[in-house]
Amino acid sequence: MEDGVLKEGFLVKRGHIVHNWKVRWFVLRQNTLVYYKLEGGRRVNPPKGRILLDGCTITCPCLDYENRPLLIKLKTQTSTEYFLEASSREERDAWAFEITGAIHAGQPGKVQQLHNLRNSFKLPPHISLHQIVDKMHNSSSGIRSSPNMEQGSTYKKTFLGSSLVDWLISNSFVASRLEGVTLASMLMEENFLSPVGVRSMGAIRSGDLAEQFLDDSTALYTFAESYKKKISPREEISLSTVELSGMVVKQGYLAKQGHKRKNWKVRRFVLRKDPAFLHYYDPSKEENRPVGGFSLRGSLVSALEDNGVPTGVKGNVQGNLFKVITKDDKHYYIQASSKVERVEWIEAIKKLT
């Protein structure tokens, strides 16, 4: 990482004039957030844009777009709004924390307060659980229920644990994710919410109140009175349903070489186990369906040399590359944003092959 850089990596940015979504490489420094277009695995100079952080306000979580739950919104002193999407809740929160620190960099006391807030817990006084649940049921501003899948079973009218925590924060019922987890656990204790599926049911066995609710994008919950479960008959489960039923173990933005045109595009990769699949999504699209993917059973994964352009790679793309060869001998060339990230992905994939 360059001197003075607080954080860098891929984010998906909404355009100002035409509200389309494009992947950009972002570089955060103490008073600016600069973003670049990427070509051939390298950022293109000059930068596409620069966000001055002095006087900025940040909203995270931002729920302005229903189909993009991992947004950060920045509003500058001139009231220009920027919408940035991360690849996971953890990555979104890490960006939000660093950006908030950069905004308040000239106020050491504020930065220390942020660090304390991140590691502290205090439930708001005199909170009414009934008031929260009533607002959760609101058709326009409440928590959105929809069918969700876990391990081949479809659960109707459910929502993600992480989505509920996002909602509690955005509605100012809590000030931190830790408070959100504890408040959600209280809602379960009072039988307002029910856990659904293997992940969330398993957490109930914990004796610690703060650990009974999972702030997780794979844990499902529902309103206690609306719990319905539909087991998909084995013969009706499509291949894609089976592929997507595994537990998510890793996700993030990576660049991938196309099979036909051999051009490079950034995709959001999601690694699942039981069954082991690696899927990739187009982050510029609203629908949450993979544009491709493959089984990892019998696959081989390896790092490619960093000196020069490796065999099989088209264009002047170098550095942090790795290759996955599937059981049916299909080759996937992928580029991480750093050597550390490449090692993490290779190790995670190897465990599932």
Side-chain angles (χ1 to χ4, degrees):
M1 201 176 283
E2 300 172 14
D3 289 344
V5 174
L6 302 173
K7 187 172 177 62
E8 60 181 333
F10 290 118
L11 292 170
V12 183
K13 175 186 167 293
R14 192 196 74 173
H16 281 303
I17 301 171
V18 179
H19 287 179
N20 54 359
W21 297 80
K22 292 186 177 179
V23 177
R24 296 290 183 241
W25 182 263
F26 280 78
V27 178
L28 175 65
R29 289 187 168 85
Q30 185 164 305
N31 51 11
T32 58
L33 183 60
V34 181
Y35 52 96
Y36 299 81
K37 185 178 179 181
L38 246 70
E39 286 183 2
R42 297 173 184 271
R43 71 189 192 196
V44 178
N45 280 307
K48 291 286 290 182
R50 187 183 307 269
I51 304 171
L52 297 177
L53 297 177
D54 185 33
C56 254
T57 58
I58 181 170
T59 303
C60 180
C62 169
L63 305 182
D64 287 26
Y65 286 84
E66 189 177 274
N67 294 325
R68 294 184 180 272
L70 301 173
L71 284 179
I72 298 168
K73 180 167 75 172
L74 296 177
K75 189 172 183 179
T76 67
Q77 276 188 327
T78 57
S79 296
T80 302
E81 291 184 338
Y82 293 88
F83 292 88
L84 313 175
E85 184 181 36
S87 60
S88 66
R89 181 183 59 77
E90 293 79 11
E91 187 67 8
R92 179 199 64 187
D93 292 350
W95 271 104
F97 186 75
E98 293 295 344
I99 292 171
T100 304
I103 290 171
H104 299 291
Q107 308 170 43
K110 181 69 175 179
V111 175
Q112 184 59 47
Q113 182 184 347
L114 288 168
H115 280 277
N116 292 339
L117 178 62
R118 195 185 203 193
N119 299 302
S120 67
F121 167 69
K122 184 180 179 183
L123 198 63
H126 313 301
I127 197 158
S128 166
L129 297 183
H130 285 280
Q131 176 193 359
I132 295 171
V133 174
D134 285 345
K135 192 163 185 179
M136 286 174 68
H137 277 285
N138 188 288
S139 58
S140 60
S141 60
I143 186 82
R144 181 172 173 261
S145 297
S146 61
N148 284 285
M149 190 177 298
E150 184 188 31
Q151 298 186 5
S153 297
T154 299
Y155 298 90
K156 294 182 177 181
K157 295 184 179 179
T158 56
F159 42 84
L160 309 178
S162 55
S163 296
L164 177 56
V165 175
D166 284 350
W167 185 89
L168 290 170
I169 293 172
S170 66
N171 284 275
S172 302
F173 287 118
V174 295
S176 69
R177 303 201 75 84
L178 186 55
E179 289 184 6
V181 169
T182 301
L183 180 52
S185 296
M186 292 173 66
L187 290 169
M188 285 201 302
E189 285 281 306
E190 297 299 320
N191 296 317
F192 290 113
L193 301 180
S194 294
V196 180
V198 177
R199 285 277 290 146
S200 54
M201 289 295 291
I204 290 294
R205 300 186 183 97
S206 166
D208 186 348
L209 174 67
E211 294 177 0
Q212 288 187 359
F213 183 89
L214 296 178
D215 180 9
D216 192 295
S217 59
T218 62
L220 302 179
Y221 297 88
T222 188
F223 293 114
E225 72 277 12
S226 67
Y227 170 63
K228 292 182 182 178
K229 178 183 175 184
K230 175 190 172 186
I231 301 293
S232 301
R234 184 175 297 276
E235 62 273 13
E236 292 182 8
I237 297 177
S238 66
L239 178 61
S240 61
T241 299
V242 175
E243 289 180 12
L244 299 172
S245 65
M247 181 185 295
V248 175
V249 294
K250 188 172 178 61
Q251 55 187 327
Y253 293 129
L254 297 167
K256 173 190 164 294
Q257 180 176 276
H259 284 294
K260 294 179 180 178
R261 296 185 181 179
K262 308 298 182 184
N263 53 348
W264 286 82
K265 291 186 177 179
V266 176
R267 297 291 185 236
R268 180 172 67 89
F269 278 77
V270 178
L271 179 64
R272 294 178 172 90
K273 68 176 183 178
D274 302 325
F277 273 85
L278 184 61
H279 292 97
Y280 47 95
Y281 300 71
D282 184 346
S284 68
K285 306 296 183 187
E286 292 266 333
E287 62 268 16
N288 191 30
R289 290 188 219 160
V291 294
F294 50 91
S295 170
L296 291 174
R297 180 174 292 181
S299 295
L300 298 173
V301 58
S302 60
L304 299 178
E305 64 270 20
D306 286 330
N307 296 322
V309 180
T311 303
V313 173
K314 303 299 180 182
N316 188 27
V317 179
Q318 302 177 42
N320 308 320
L321 291 161
F322 64 96
K323 178 170 68 172
V324 181
I325 305 175
T326 65
K327 191 177 180 180
D328 57 359
D329 200 35
K330 199 168 185 179
H331 293 223
Y332 290 85
Y333 295 93
I334 301 170
Q335 185 181 43
S337 59
S338 67
K339 286 183 171 62
V340 172
E341 186 180 52
R342 176 174 66 177
V343 169
E344 290 174 351
W345 272 102
I346 290 175
E347 288 181 352
I349 292 170
K350 277 183 175 178
K351 290 177 182 177
L352 303 179
T353 58

mmCIF file with all atom_site columns, all heavy atoms in Angstrom, residues 42 227 249 321:
data_model
loop_
_atom_site.group_PDB
_atom_site.id
_atom_site.type_symbol
_atom_site.label_atom_id
_atom_site.label_alt_id
_atom_site.label_comp_id
_atom_site.label_asym_id
_atom_site.label_entity_id
_atom_site.label_seq_id
_atom_site.pdbx_PDB_ins_code
_atom_site.Cartn_x
_atom_site.Cartn_y
_atom_site.Cartn_z
_atom_site.occupancy
_atom_site.B_iso_or_equiv
_atom_site.pdbx_formal_charge
_atom_site.auth_seq_id
_atom_site.auth_comp_id
_atom_site.auth_asym_id
_atom_site.auth_atom_id
_atom_site.pdbx_PDB_model_num
ATOM 1  N N   . ARG A 1 42  ? -4.841  -2.951  -14.133 1.00 0.00 ? 42  ARG A N   1
ATOM 2  C CA  . ARG A 1 42  ? -4.113  -1.787  -13.614 1.00 0.00 ? 42  ARG A CA  1
ATOM 3  C C   . ARG A 1 42  ? -5.040  -0.572  -13.597 1.00 0.00 ? 42  ARG A C   1
ATOM 4  O O   . ARG A 1 42  ? -5.894  -0.418  -14.476 1.00 0.00 ? 42  ARG A O   1
ATOM 5  C CB  . ARG A 1 42  ? -2.890  -1.473  -14.491 1.00 0.00 ? 42  ARG A CB  1
ATOM 6  C CG  . ARG A 1 42  ? -1.845  -2.581  -14.509 1.00 0.00 ? 42  ARG A CG  1
ATOM 7  C CD  . ARG A 1 42  ? -0.753  -2.261  -15.522 1.00 0.00 ? 42  ARG A CD  1
ATOM 8  N NE  . ARG A 1 42  ? 0.205   -3.337  -15.620 1.00 0.00 ? 42  ARG A NE  1
ATOM 9  C CZ  . ARG A 1 42  ? 1.290   -3.436  -14.856 1.00 0.00 ? 42  ARG A CZ  1
ATOM 10 N NH1 . ARG A 1 42  ? 1.536   -2.512  -13.944 1.00 0.00 ? 42  ARG A NH1 1
ATOM 11 N NH2 . ARG A 1 42  ? 2.120   -4.447  -15.000 1.00 0.00 ? 42  ARG A NH2 1
ATOM 12 N N   . TYR A 1 227 ? -44.287 -17.552 10.527  1.00 0.00 ? 227 TYR A N   1
ATOM 13 C CA  . TYR A 1 227 ? -43.341 -18.601 10.159  1.00 0.00 ? 227 TYR A CA  1
ATOM 14 C C   . TYR A 1 227 ? -43.985 -19.664 9.275   1.00 0.00 ? 227 TYR A C   1
ATOM 15 O O   . TYR A 1 227 ? -44.968 -20.278 9.625   1.00 0.00 ? 227 TYR A O   1
ATOM 16 C CB  . TYR A 1 227 ? -42.771 -19.266 11.412  1.00 0.00 ? 227 TYR A CB  1
ATOM 17 C CG  . TYR A 1 227 ? -41.969 -20.516 11.116  1.00 0.00 ? 227 TYR A CG  1
ATOM 18 C CD1 . TYR A 1 227 ? -40.813 -20.449 10.362  1.00 0.00 ? 227 TYR A CD1 1
ATOM 19 C CD2 . TYR A 1 227 ? -42.401 -21.763 11.572  1.00 0.00 ? 227 TYR A CD2 1
ATOM 20 C CE1 . TYR A 1 227 ? -40.089 -21.592 10.080  1.00 0.00 ? 227 TYR A CE1 1
ATOM 21 C CE2 . TYR A 1 227 ? -41.672 -22.907 11.296  1.00 0.00 ? 227 TYR A CE2 1
ATOM 22 C CZ  . TYR A 1 227 ? -40.521 -22.813 10.541  1.00 0.00 ? 227 TYR A CZ  1
ATOM 23 O OH  . TYR A 1 227 ? -39.803 -23.939 10.250  1.00 0.00 ? 227 TYR A OH  1
ATOM 24 N N   . VAL A 1 249 ? -18.684 -19.047 2.618   1.00 0.00 ? 249 VAL A N   1
ATOM 25 C CA  . VAL A 1 249 ? -17.482 -19.020 3.456   1.00 0.00 ? 249 VAL A CA  1
ATOM 26 C C   . VAL A 1 249 ? -16.566 -17.846 3.113   1.00 0.00 ? 249 VAL A C   1
ATOM 27 O O   . VAL A 1 249 ? -15.730 -17.439 3.918   1.00 0.00 ? 249 VAL A O   1
ATOM 28 C CB  . VAL A 1 249 ? -16.693 -20.348 3.368   1.00 0.00 ? 249 VAL A CB  1
ATOM 29 C CG1 . VAL A 1 249 ? -17.500 -21.482 3.954   1.00 0.00 ? 249 VAL A CG1 1
ATOM 30 C CG2 . VAL A 1 249 ? -16.300 -20.676 1.932   1.00 0.00 ? 249 VAL A CG2 1
ATOM 31 N N   . LEU A 1 321 ? -2.172  -12.885 -9.737  1.00 0.00 ? 321 LEU A N   1
ATOM 32 C CA  . LEU A 1 321 ? -3.029  -13.768 -10.529 1.00 0.00 ? 321 LEU A CA  1
ATOM 33 C C   . LEU A 1 321 ? -3.047  -15.183 -9.957  1.00 0.00 ? 321 LEU A C   1
ATOM 34 O O   . LEU A 1 321 ? -2.054  -15.649 -9.394  1.00 0.00 ? 321 LEU A O   1
ATOM 35 C CB  . LEU A 1 321 ? -2.543  -13.830 -11.977 1.00 0.00 ? 321 LEU A CB  1
ATOM 36 C CG  . LEU A 1 321 ? -2.711  -12.554 -12.814 1.00 0.00 ? 321 LEU A CG  1
ATOM 37 C CD1 . LEU A 1 321 ? -1.794  -12.592 -14.017 1.00 0.00 ? 321 LEU A CD1 1
ATOM 38 C CD2 . LEU A 1 321 ? -4.155  -12.401 -13.263 1.00 0.00 ? 321 LEU A CD2 1
#
